Amino acid sequence: AGYPHFRKDKVLFQSQDLAPAQRDELLRQLSDSNKVSAVILLAHGSPDPEAAQETHELRDALSALRPDWRFDVAFLNHEPKLDHAVESLMTMGCTHIRILPLLVFKGKHLREDIPALVSTLRSRLPKLQLELQPHLSQLPGFREILLRTLENS
């Protein structure tokens, strides 16, 4: 007997219902359509619990705005670390993960530490697509947000 294939808790077909080529093509299409967009908010980290709390609140707010994406938090100098967040998202089926550094300017962490961490993860997990996003001051609209904030204060 064939085994069932699921998508969002619904049986789509039994494997014995299809020829091998049809089954492989359908599984490829299901895999593509089930890809989950994932983002890791990578912050510096602080021993102050309020700093971590703000990062988690940002994650929660972004998750509410984009419930179709998966968001996680990682810290450079505290737990959870980047590799833990990547592994957590992989267990949810994420194969493409964007890493958004929550750092403003390009210091040592952005020049050396983060690229080294991402390179190590890419070596360990070659089938996973990791995409390092620009840091905050390089994001479109960043300067305009600063000006609007100053103009409205």
Side-chain angles (χ1 to χ4, degrees), residues 8 14 18 25 30 39-40 46 49 52 57 59 61 66 70 81 85 89-90 114 116 118 127 129 137 140:
K8 299 188 191 249
Q14 296 286 331
L18 301 172
E25 175 59 19
L30 287 172
V39 178
I40 295 174
S46 168
E57 288 170 2
R59 178 208 53 212
R66 288 303 303 254
R70 299 290 176 262
K81 299 287 189 183
L89 289 168
M90 285 178 60
I114 295 171
V118 172
K127 294 187 179 185
Q129 184 179 357
S137 66

Side-chain angles (χ1 to χ4, degrees), residues 49-149:
E50 287 183 35
Q53 181 61 33
E54 281 189 72
T55 309
H56 290 283
E57 288 170 2
L58 176 60
R59 178 208 53 212
D60 295 344
L62 293 171
S63 294
L65 291 168
R66 288 303 303 254
D68 55 322
W69 291 6
R70 299 290 176 262
F71 289 89
D72 207 346
V73 169
F75 299 100
L76 292 168
N77 294 328
H78 293 279
E79 297 294 331
K81 299 287 189 183
L82 182 60
D83 59 344
H84 177 78
V86 166
E87 290 166 9
S88 174
L89 289 168
M90 285 178 60
T91 64
M92 291 186 240
C94 300
T95 57
H96 176 233
I97 300 173
R98 290 173 284 174
I99 301 166
L100 179 62
L102 298 180
L103 302 170
V104 178
F105 300 111
K106 195 168 190 168
K108 182 180 181 288
H109 287 313
L110 286 166
R111 279 192 325 272
E112 299 173 17
D113 301 337
I114 295 171
L117 289 169
V118 172
S119 178
T120 299
L121 286 166
R122 284 179 177 147
S123 295
R124 265 188 33 219
L125 307 163
K127 294 187 179 185
L128 179 68
Q129 184 179 357
L130 290 172
E131 184 181 330
L132 185 55
Q133 299 293 297
H135 56 284
L136 296 177
S137 66
Q138 299 303 302
L139 295 177
F142 179 80
R143 292 164 186 86
E144 291 80 4
I145 290 170
L146 294 179
L147 286 174
R148 268 198 318 270
T149 300

